[in-house]
Amino acid sequence: QLQASGGGLVQTGGSLRLSCAASGRTSINQLTVAWFRQTPGKEREFVSVAVGSGGNVLYADFVKGRFTISRDSARNTVNLQMNSLKPEDTAAYYCAKRRNRCVGSACYNVDAYDVWGQGTLVTVSS
C-alpha cells in the first residue's frame, strides 16, 4: 500500500514537500514510484518518477527545475519537493507504483501503475 501526505495551501512561489510512504517488505529502493496530479474534469497527468533499483528519475517538462523527487530509505518513502509553486500546480497529487521498471515515455503511462495512494491536495494561491 501507498500513503501520500504533505499537501496544503501555499502562496505563489512557496514550497511544499509531499511524501509517499510504502508499506510491506519491499524496500523503497526497489520500487518504481511516480507522482501524478489531477484537477477536476481533466485526466491524471504524469509529474515525476523514480525508477527502482538504481534507475533514472524523470520529470514532466512543466516541473523541471522546480520539483525534485527523492527516496528516503530509512522511512521507506518517496518524496516530492516542490519549489517555486504556481497557481497552475493546484491539483490533487497521487503517488503510484508499478511492478516493473520503465524507460522514458513508458513511465508516463497511468495504466501501467497498479497501486495508488490516496490523493493529497495542493492549493497554490495567487
Side-chain angles (χ1 to χ4, degrees):
Q1 289 185 336
L2 299 176
Q3 185 167 2
S5 62
L9 173 64
V10 65
Q11 293 184 335
T12 297
S15 298
L16 282 173
R17 181 180 176 88
L18 305 184
S19 182
C20 180
S23 60
R25 296 181 178 181
T26 304
S27 167
I28 198 69
N29 292 326
Q30 296 178 284
L31 299 177
T32 294
V33 177
W35 286 94
F36 291 80
R37 69 186 188 184
Q38 189 172 24
T39 55
K42 293 189 177 181
E43 293 185 350
R44 199 163 292 188
E45 65 178 353
F46 171 82
V47 175
S48 180
V49 65
V51 179
S53 301
N56 291 333
V57 297
L58 299 173
Y59 299 95
D61 286 344
F62 54 79
V63 303
K64 282 182 180 177
R66 300 189 298 125
F67 291 11
T68 303
I69 194 169
S70 64
R71 302 177 191 271
D72 185 334
S73 299
R75 292 178 172 81
N76 220 38
T77 60
V78 172
N79 304 312
L80 187 69
Q81 178 66 41
M82 306 188 297
N83 298 328
S84 302
L85 283 163
K86 306 174 182 180
E88 50 265 43
D89 293 318
T90 295
Y93 283 72
Y94 298 87
C95 61
K97 73 173 186 73
R98 54 188 289 161
R99 295 180 180 178
N100 51 6
R101 303 175 74 197
C102 55
V103 176
S105 60
C107 298
Y108 307 163
N109 182 8
V110 172
D111 295 331
Y113 293 82
D114 58 342
V115 177
W116 291 81
Q118 85 288 4
T120 185
L121 184 61
V122 172
T123 303
V124 184
S125 64
S126 57

